[in-house]
Amino acid sequence: MIGANGCGKTTLAQLIVGRLAPDSGSVTKGLVTALYAQDATEELAGLSDFACDWSPLAQKVRRALAIEDGWLWRYDTPSSGQQKRVQIACALAAASNVLILDKPANHLDALTRVLLIETLRDFSGIGLLISHDRALLDELAVSCLCFEGDGMEIRPGNYSAVREQEMQEHDTSLHAREAARTEYRRLAQEQQRRREEADRSASKRSLDPHDHDSREKIGCAIVSGKDRKAADKVCQLDQRMQGLGKKAEAAVA
């Protein structure tokens, strides 16, 4: 999930796992979900269960994340990086179908970061990753849920692929806007030329009902609607360009 701060990524994650209730609509639950929250200092609800769990899955997770037994019984003493390892271990050991990670790489030491990426690569369920870390998104994401304005759009590929796609759309829109402006200027010049020609004809002689040529020239001076369509197209493209420009230029902190 990618988007500006405050756009609703964490809120959506909490709705999915049931920590928040929607103001309207409903959330259909059918999968086991686990949330890896930003704050690792709060003691985990499933920590004691994991500490006593020596199943093959729990042991595999302990080895993968290099979890020491003492960390599980004295959760307030390990470093923040070690606490994050315990946090993700509890989520993985719960055999969740959906694992939601909210900024998991924040303040991680180099070792924990490597262990986190390697462990998550082996996760066979559905992973939802909320992060501003470009490298992490490129390593793990196969598609991106982009928060755009009041809506969301799923785009295929990791972060870099999605940004490249948006840049291409930006360039295409730029060319289309310039083409529309060029056409609008051409029509405006043609309109002015026809008006001037009609004015010259009208000034030389009074119109005769049978003078179809002059009548046609003056008629041509009336805007046919093409100018309005071109202007509308320019306005529409300007609005689209404004939105695409912001997305293309936005940098993930």
Side-chain angles (χ1 to χ4, degrees):
M1 303 183 195
I2 56 177
N5 287 332
C7 68
K9 301 184 296 294
T10 298
T11 299
L12 177 59
Q14 292 179 340
L15 285 169
I16 292 172
V17 298
R19 292 190 180 183
L20 289 178
D23 294 331
S24 61
S26 61
V27 178
T28 301
K29 297 181 180 179
L31 300 173
V32 178
T33 59
L35 174 63
Y36 176 108
Q38 296 184 50
D39 187 4
T41 59
E42 298 180 8
E43 187 163 329
L44 308 176
L47 180 59
S48 58
D49 292 335
F50 178 63
C52 299
D53 186 357
W54 291 97
S55 65
L57 175 59
Q59 292 185 59
K60 178 182 177 181
V61 170
R62 288 173 191 246
R63 289 193 300 270
L65 292 171
I67 302 293
E68 297 182 10
D69 292 342
W71 300 352
L72 307 179
W73 301 107
R74 299 186 303 277
Y75 186 71
D76 57 335
T77 57
S79 67
S80 60
Q82 292 167 344
Q83 287 178 336
K84 282 183 174 288
R85 281 194 245 173
V86 173
Q87 191 181 33
I88 190 65
C90 289
L92 290 170
S96 304
N97 304 118
V98 180
L99 180 61
I100 304 174
L101 302 105
D102 194 353
K103 300 180 179 65
N106 283 9
H107 313 299
L108 288 188
D109 56 80
L111 174 60
T112 301
R113 182 185 177 86
V114 171
L115 292 173
L116 174 67
I117 292 174
E118 290 178 350
T119 303
L120 292 177
R121 278 178 180 158
D122 291 336
F123 180 61
S124 59
I126 300 170
L128 300 179
L129 175 62
I130 302 171
S131 180
H132 294 295
D133 188 321
R134 296 184 180 186
L136 187 67
L137 290 168
D138 279 344
E139 286 278 359
L140 297 173
V142 295
S143 61
C144 292
L145 177 62
C146 304
F147 286 67
E148 302 171 347
D150 294 331
M152 295 174 285
E153 180 181 3
I154 296 179
R155 292 175 176 263
N158 60 18
Y159 175 83
S160 293
V162 167
R163 285 299 183 229
E164 177 64 25
Q165 181 183 357
E166 289 179 342
M167 287 297 296
Q168 291 176 356
E169 291 177 358
H170 176 275
D171 292 341
T172 299
S173 296
L174 178 62
H175 294 152
R177 184 182 67 172
E178 290 305 313
R181 284 180 167 172
T182 299
E183 177 65 8
Y184 178 75
R185 288 193 294 267
R186 186 192 69 78
L187 289 173
Q189 291 172 357
E190 178 66 13
Q191 177 192 18
Q192 183 64 26
R193 184 187 67 79
R194 290 179 177 180
R195 281 178 174 166
E196 291 174 354
E197 185 177 350
D199 288 342
R200 286 195 298 269
S201 298
S203 64
K204 289 180 179 179
R205 62 182 182 276
S206 59
L207 286 177
D208 187 284
H210 302 291
D211 190 349
H212 299 292
D213 184 59
S214 293
R215 292 172 64 85
E216 182 180 355
K217 289 179 180 178
I218 292 178
C220 288
I222 300 174
V223 179
S224 65
K226 292 182 179 179
D227 297 324
R228 181 59 183 173
K229 291 179 181 178
D232 288 344
K233 187 174 182 181
V234 171
C235 291
Q236 292 169 3
L237 288 168
D238 278 341
Q239 293 174 357
R240 186 181 177 192
M241 280 295 300
Q242 185 178 4
L244 287 172
K246 290 180 180 179
K247 291 192 298 182
E249 295 171 3
V252 174

